[in-house]
Structures are given as structure tokens and as C-alpha cells.
Amino acid sequence: MEAVSRTAQWTAAARALETEREDRLFADPYARTVADEIGFELLDRYDGGGIVPFLAIRTTYLDRAIVRAVEERGIRQVVFLAAGMDTRFFRLPWPDGVTVYELDRPALLEAKAEMLKDEPQPAGRTRTTVPVDLTQDWTGPLKEAGWKSEEPVLWVVEGLLFFLPEQAVRTLISTLSAHAAAGSVLLGDVISKSALENPLARTFMSALKEDGNPWLFGTEEPEALLADCGWDVREVRQPGEPGADFDRWPYPVPARNVPRVPRSFLFTCDLPGATGVDSGVAA
Ligand SMILES: C[S@@+](CC[C@H](N)C(=O)[O-])C[C@H]1O[C@@H](n2cnc3c(N)ncnc32)[C@H](O)[C@@H]1O
């Protein structure tokens, strides 16, 4: 598995910890298996800066937004870009007829298949894995796997954008809008550029670089990035703000106009012209 794919085991380890809390926000009973020992080693190595509470918040925000988007929009194709060790196919309450596409590097998908090979497939839903490099053309392989570009799609891009150079981020997000039929939704996360440059994060950033998976991209203006790439931004939330706190975020949230603050942003977008539907994540 490539170094960057190991980071999927790191985030899975954080989901395992949340799952094992009495006051858990979600249960991912597969997380400990797919994280394996390496996931917990990385959790120690990349410790600090609110990573564990952030990952609990990110998972919860996206879980709820995914369920809501599928229910409200009647979307029946869901594409996880850089799915990693995500097990939402197994653990979320999908309506009958949903197809979940999991896109990631081939070696990761093979390792994940091996780790989950004894899990029974839930009825009424289909899971299709598509091995790709998301910095190359990936829509061809996705089409071959059965995805229909003329039908609405829910794109989920979680924990990926900071690994890509800016041009690759822009190309990817623009490809998502260019290939989305009316009613489609985009969910995901991105960090601020200041998060890359913050002196307090130097050890963390150096460890990522040493391990061969440096963080490369951040922006203070996620709204502008998403709009430039063809999306109508329904909401952008930082952890700790209403709708993205869930009683987990331990830090104050500085106002957006305070400069040089390391930030993470969670976003929900529609295609231009779509009537906004309340994501309800604040509930
Ligand atoms: C931090 S993990 C996030 C996984 C999952 N979405 C989550 O939130 O737990 C980053 C994922 O991005 C994938 N990835 C990074 N660069 C990629 C690329 N160019 N093409 C496909 N997948 C990529 C890695 O293999 C890894 O699974």
C-alpha cells in the first residue's frame, strides 16, 4: 500500500476510538479491523491539534449530511472519492437500490477487501470498488463500473484535498460539477493554508512529509474555491460552529476574519440553480 493510503488506517483508528466511547456519536464496528495496528501507531505519531475530536466531528457531519442528501434528493448513486477505510456502505441506513462506489488506489482497495472479506453484504444495496488515481482520468473507469452521469450523484470527498497540489484539487472539484446531473450534491472537507504554515503544527507536518504523504493544499476561502469550480455553496462549517460541534470540539473558534488561524472546513454544495434543501446538520 502507498504511504498516503496508510493515512486511511489512521482516520479509521480515530473512528474506532469514537465508537468505543460510551457517549459515541456514531458506531463504526469495522473501524478497529481496518485500522489495524498501523492505524493506532499513526494516531500516536500524528497526535495533537485536535485531530481525534475533529475526525469524530467530520465523520458525524458527513454521516448525517449523506443520509439526508440521499433521503431528500432521492439520490441512488453515491461516490466516495478516496474512500480509504470508510465503511459507510455497511454501517449507514441506505435506502434500497443505492449503489455505493468506492474510489481509491488499487493496493488500498485490495487490502480493504481482504480485511472485510468475511463481512456479510447488507441486502438491498450494492458496493462497487473502482481502483483509480484521482489525479488522472477516473471518470472513464467509474462509468465502466456502472455510474450514470445523467443521474444525480452524491460525491463525497473526505480527507483527500490536502494531499493534492492546488491544480489537481481544482481539476478534481471542477470534474465533479461537470459530471453531475441536476439534484447532485457535493460533501467534503478542506483545510486553511494557515493550517499548513502554523509553527505549532511543524512537527505534525514534518512527520507527514517524512512518511511520504505531505499535506500540500489549503485555502482560507473554501467558498471561492468551490464556486470557481462550479458549485453553489450551501454551507461551510468549522468544527465547533453550530452544526459541526456535537459536543466534541474543545477549542474556541476564531472569527473567519482573524488571519493566520489553522482551520478545517466542512462543506455542503449543490449545483447552481438547484433549490437549496436544508442539510439539517445543525439538528
Ligand atoms: C486520510 S485518507 C481518507 C480516507 C477516507 N476518506 C477517510 O476519511 O477516512 C486519504 C485517502 O486518499 C487516498 N488517496 C490519496 N491520493 C490519492 C489519489 N491520487 N488517487 C486515489 N486515492 C488517493 C489514499 O489512498 C487514502 O485512502
Side-chain angles (χ1 to χ4, degrees):
M1 211 190 291
E2 288 93 339
V4 72
S5 297
R6 294 276 176 214
T7 64
Q9 293 179 283
W10 166 41
T11 53
R15 289 193 289 273
L17 294 189
E18 180 66 28
T19 299
E20 289 157 17
R21 284 175 67 130
E22 274 189 15
D23 63 345
R24 70 185 72 84
L25 291 167
F26 57 83
D28 182 346
Y30 315 94
R32 192 163 269 278
T33 303
V34 293
D36 212 353
E37 257 177 59
I38 178 80
F40 291 91
E41 283 168 25
L42 292 177
L43 207 51
D44 282 345
R45 181 162 164 73
Y46 303 149
D47 191 22
I51 289 280
V52 169
F54 170 64
L55 290 172
I57 289 170
R58 184 174 81 183
T59 304
T60 306
Y61 177 91
L62 292 175
D63 277 4
R64 295 181 187 188
I66 289 166
V67 168
R68 200 166 281 260
V70 168
E71 267 175 23
E72 287 178 350
R73 298 287 172 96
I75 296 173
R76 290 295 176 270
Q77 31 181 21
V78 180
V79 180
F80 290 102
L81 298 130
M85 296 298 178
D86 185 303
T87 62
R88 290 189 174 101
F89 170 76
F90 295 95
R91 67 181 183 82
L92 288 188
W94 300 106
D96 275 359
V98 158
T99 300
V100 169
Y101 296 94
E102 296 185 2
L103 275 54
D104 209 298
R105 306 305 305 255
L108 176 133
L109 293 175
E110 279 162 31
K112 183 176 180 181
E114 180 60 26
M115 288 191 271
L116 294 176
K117 69 177 187 304
D118 296 328
E119 293 303 331
Q121 296 289 308
R125 56 186 87 164
T126 306
R127 172 170 169 254
T128 302
T129 57
V130 188
V132 289
D133 179 347
L134 288 164
T135 62
Q136 307 294 320
D137 170 42
W138 51 270
T139 55
L142 183 57
K143 263 190 190 149
E144 277 166 33
W147 161 69
K148 297 183 182 67
S149 57
E150 65 282 9
E151 292 181 12
V153 60
L154 171 59
W155 302 117
V156 183
V157 58
E158 179 185 18
L160 171 70
L161 299 180
F162 33 69
F163 289 117
L164 305 180
E166 175 160 2
Q167 194 47 53
V169 170
R170 289 184 174 274
T171 302
L172 180 71
I173 303 176
S174 302
T175 302
L176 299 178
S177 59
H179 289 82
S184 298
V185 174
L186 167 65
L187 301 171
D189 70 309
V190 66
I191 57 170
S192 66
K193 199 160 189 286
S194 302
L196 301 172
E197 294 163 353
N198 179 14
L200 296 175
R202 220 166 264 155
T203 311
F204 170 67
M205 291 297 163
S206 303
L208 287 165
K209 195 170 171 189
E210 266 170 38
D211 292 352
N213 34 262
W215 281 9
L216 304 173
F217 176 75
T219 176
E220 320 307 315
E221 297 181 346
E223 293 87 349
L225 169 75
L226 293 160
D228 286 353
C229 297
W231 290 95
D232 249 7
V233 178
R234 198 192 308 172
E235 66 172 33
V236 170
R237 295 268 194 266
Q238 298 178 78
E241 288 182 339
D245 180 52
F246 312 116
D247 233 356
R248 281 288 177 281
W249 191 242
Y251 307 111
V253 187
R256 281 289 292 278
N257 58 4
V258 179
R260 291 182 292 284
V261 174
R263 302 175 192 273
S264 298
F265 303 106
L266 298 161
F267 56 79
T268 299
C269 301
D270 300 295
L271 283 179
T275 48
V277 178
D278 176 18
S279 71
V281 291

